[in-house]
Amino acid sequence: MSESKGEPPKKRFPLTLDSITGKAGRNRAATSAHTYSTQTATQNASRHLPRAISAVPASSSNSPSASTSLPGSASAPVMASRTMNSPLVSESVRKSMVKRIEQQGVKDKVVLAAMESVPRHFFLEPGLASQAYIDASLPIGYHQTISQPYIVARMIEVLRANSRGPLNRVLEIGTGCGYQAAVLAQVAQEVYSIERIKPLHELARTNLRPLRIANLRLHYGDGMLGFPQVAPFDGIILAAAGMQVPQDLLDQMSVGGSLVAPIGNRNQVLQLIRRTAENEWMSENLEHCHFVPLKSGTLG
Ligand code: SAH
């Protein structure tokens, strides 16, 4: 992937690709910040203990009426039909995957523990399950992919490190197969995830059912509009790349909250946006990345 160079000009939101020209490189710390005022947000990273997936109670009272909640009465994980059918084997390869993610620069132990607890092979079709723990994005159908494990961990790490308080309510745009949503649910109190392609929304429900994650709600719709019924959010993650972050999403951030999004077309950069006051957002370019495109509307 090529690097873009030059100092970023200061701009008001919405940001476009023009404004994203800071030096960036994978696994490199932020080198440029779009500053909209001298005020900075306090950076108290929340430090939740991740909950074990199997220990999550199977009910929640916080489901918005428009969302599709995960059934609470699902059975225990069934792995027999999967290629990686030994829990011990999957656990050890998952540990290796987490070690690699750590070597790539992710330091947050809570995030690493969350990555270790979610069986990524549950989110892939049986033919690809044996590749579940390599550090790559993989196809999930409908021209979409499950994100690379490193970038999943990195985005959540950035979100945690830049939230003023604990991550109570988090929104993900682009559920896809549901993997990142499951990881997010280990570190946040409530997670809402929106998918615009109905069969993928349904696939995610199927994938997630055996994991019985009670604090995760899936919603079929256009994530570019956000989820006003349950806003504001302490954290927002976009799992698909647009040329700018939609204003609706900026408006649905809580003050002190943060948003991580890939921005761009071919040459994408991971951008962190913090809402530092009611009418003030600050953005920073982190590193190059590669995501499927953010699209408006829904596909039934
Ligand atoms: N979160 C996934 C990655 C999914 S790929 C993971 O765990 O690996 C990105 C997803 O974003 C695709 O499924 C795509 O359909 C979805 N997407 C793109 N634009 C969207 C939008 N406006 N609203 C909701 N989902 C969107």
Side-chain angles (χ1 to χ4, degrees), residues 58-219:
S59 69
S60 167
S61 56
N62 272 318
S63 163
S65 57
S67 75
T68 306
S69 54
L70 294 172
S73 57
S75 57
V78 179
M79 299 172 77
S81 61
R82 311 269 173 168
T83 307
M84 196 163 302
N85 59 3
S86 156
L88 282 179
V89 170
S90 84
E91 216 176 288
S92 80
V93 287
R94 201 150 59 240
K95 274 199 165 81
S96 312
M97 176 190 83
V98 170
K99 208 161 222 134
R100 283 196 307 274
I101 293 170
E102 205 173 355
Q103 283 160 2
Q104 286 173 280
V106 175
K107 297 200 165 50
D108 186 334
K109 297 286 180 213
V110 172
V111 175
L112 294 170
M115 295 293 291
E116 199 170 317
S117 72
V118 178
R120 192 168 184 254
H121 63 285
F122 272 41
F123 297 85
L124 290 162
E125 59 175 78
L128 286 172
S130 63
Q131 295 177 55
Y133 298 104
I134 61 172
D135 193 37
S137 56
L138 293 163
I140 55 171
Y142 304 90
H143 306 292
Q144 308 303 322
T145 55
I146 182 172
S147 299
Q148 173 203 14
Y150 161 76
I151 203 75
V152 168
R154 177 76 177 122
M155 286 174 117
I156 301 175
E157 176 177 66
V158 168
L159 211 60
R160 274 173 48 79
N162 290 283
S163 285
R164 215 175 260 182
L167 286 178
N168 289 321
R169 191 168 289 184
V170 171
L171 175 67
E172 179 196 37
I173 311 302
T175 316
C177 60
Y179 174 67
Q180 182 159 29
V183 180
L184 270 171
Q186 308 311 303
V187 307
Q189 292 301 315
E190 288 171 35
V191 177
Y192 299 84
S193 182
I194 307 179
E195 173 55 55
R196 67 181 286 275
I197 301 178
K198 194 156 200 187
L200 283 180
H201 162 73
E202 280 159 3
L203 173 74
R205 283 178 62 186
T206 305
N207 290 341
L208 286 159
R209 190 170 292 125
L211 297 176
R212 304 182 65 179
I213 304 174
N215 59 331
L216 171 58
R217 293 289 173 271
L218 303 184
H219 180 67

